[in-house]
Each structure stands twice: as structure tokens, then as C-alpha cells.
């Protein structure tokens, strides 16, 4: 119930309008130094959006078994196309769309920490401080609470506004250079 309340507050949506699911994450080489604890992802989505997506798939003659929420879809696309380099133990992928940013921290052990943040501004250029703050907080949480190694690489994709100004702001807040990546331009 605490997670449902947190989801309602984060999305500013009543509980009956949300779809909540839990996916347990099993890691290769997972140690048993924390007996009784499990790691996983709590997935929360707006019920109307899920119903809309299901209807589109049904119209196309497809019947989905599982949906991939936006932040996990970004993670899966990165893993499929880029095949993370073992030299980069932790990669932080940030995909920007008009009013949402999908923030995904992933490590070479298969652990993923995804989040989606929303803005009501016209673009991320107007909400750059909010974006940079969330990137820094998510990285800090992944290291301090999830015990992931520090981020070795930060990648921006999607609609990256403000050019170098946003990239420089991210570098100043996190200490990492942010590289830009477009799946469409990827060989």
C-alpha cells in the first residue's frame, strides 16, 4: 500500500487509474549475503495509456504478453544495439521526449534502475535544472542505496534541447561528460 500511495503521488493520479506490477530481478552471481531480500522493479503506468496501447496492438492483430514501459524499452534498445562494453560497469541512459525523460541506470550484472520523470514546461530546455537534479539524484540513489558501482558513462538520446548548455549542466552536476546517441544514426 505504501508503494501504491507513492505511485499515486508521483503520477498525481488516483490509484484506480493506475496499473501496478512487480518484476523480480535475478542477477547472475547474486550473493546470499542478504537472506530474505529480493530485488525487483515496481512498474506503474496510467491505466488509460495501457488500454490505448492494447487497443492499438489489437487493431494490428497482435496480442501482447507483456508491455515494455518506456524507460525499460530505452534500456532494452540500448542493450540490443550497443552491447554494453564490459569496461563500462554502469551506464546511465537518458532518453528525452517532449514532456518526459526516461532515466535508466544499468550495470553489467543485469541490474536496472529505471525512472520516468515528467515536465509541464514546453521543452526540457525550460526544465533543464529539474532534469539535471533528477539525473544526479538517481545516480546518487543507485550508488548509495542500491550499491551499484559509480556511473562510468552517461548517454543522452531523443530530443536533446539547448545543445551544449544541457550537456555542460549535466557534466557540472554529475562530473560525467554526457555523450549523445541516436538509435537511427547507429551503424
Amino acid at each position: 500500500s505504501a508503494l501504491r500511495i507513492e505511485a499515486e503521488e508521483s503520477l498525481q493520479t488516483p490509484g484506480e487509474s493506475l496499473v501496478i506490477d512487480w518484476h523480480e530481478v535475478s542477477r547472475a552471481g547474486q550473493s546470499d549475503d542478504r537472506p530474505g531480500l529480493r530485488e525487483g522493479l515496481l512498474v506503474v503506468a496510467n491505466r488509460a495509456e495501457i488500454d490505448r496501447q492494447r487497443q492499438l496492438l489489437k487493431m494490428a492483430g497482435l496480442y501482447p504478453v507483456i508491455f515494455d514501459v518506456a524507460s525499460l524499452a530505452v534500456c532494452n534498445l540500448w542493450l540490443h544495439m550497443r552491447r554494453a562494453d564490459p569496461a563500462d560497469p554502469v551506464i546511465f541512459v537518458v532518453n528525452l521526449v517532449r514532456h518526459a525523460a526516461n532515466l535508466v541506470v544499468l550495470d553489467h550484472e543485469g541490474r536496472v534502475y529505471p525512472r520516468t520523470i515528467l515536465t509541464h514546461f514546453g521543452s526540457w530546455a525550460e526544465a533543464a535544472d529539474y532534469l539535471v537534479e533528477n539525473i544526479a539524484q538517481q545516480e546518487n540513489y543507485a550508488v548509495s542505496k542500491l550499491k551499484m558501482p559509480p556511473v562510468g558513462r552517461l548517454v543522452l538520446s531523443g530530443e536533446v534541447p539547448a545543445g551544449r548548455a544541457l550537456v555542460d549542466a549535466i557534466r557540472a552536476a554529475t562530473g560525467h561528460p554526457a555523450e549523445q546517441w541516436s538509435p537511427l544514426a547507429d551503424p
Side-chain angles (χ1 to χ4, degrees), residues 42-77:
L42 176 67
V43 180
V44 180
N46 187 318
R47 183 177 302 278
E49 182 62 21
I50 295 293
D51 291 342
R52 187 181 75 77
Q53 292 289 331
R54 286 179 54 205
Q55 186 61 31
L56 288 172
L57 291 170
K58 187 176 178 182
M59 288 168 45
L62 302 172
Y63 297 91
V65 174
I66 187 168
F67 280 100
D68 201 359
V69 294
S71 55
L72 292 177
V74 169
C75 172
N76 289 333
L77 181 65

Side-chain angles (χ1 to χ4, degrees), residues 1 10 13-14 21 28 33 36 38 41 44 48 61-62 64-65 87 89-90 96 128 130 135 144:
S1 63
S10 294
T13 305
D21 197 5
D33 60 347
R38 293 173 144 174
L41 301 174
V44 180
L62 302 172
V65 174
V90 179
L96 301 174
Y130 176 65
I135 290 170
S144 64

Side-chain angles (χ1 to χ4, degrees), residues 109-154:
E109 293 181 11
R111 292 187 300 170
V112 178
Y113 176 36
R115 267 181 68 221
T116 298
I117 60 171
L118 306 172
T119 181
H120 297 292
F121 287 101
S123 74
W124 283 107
E126 298 171 48
D129 291 342
Y130 176 65
L131 175 64
V132 170
E133 177 185 338
N134 274 276
I135 290 170
Q137 287 176 352
Q138 183 161 342
E139 179 181 357
N140 184 38
Y141 187 88
V143 171
S144 64
K145 300 292 186 187
L146 302 179
K147 306 300 183 207
M148 294 174 95
V151 169
R153 191 170 175 192
L154 196 142

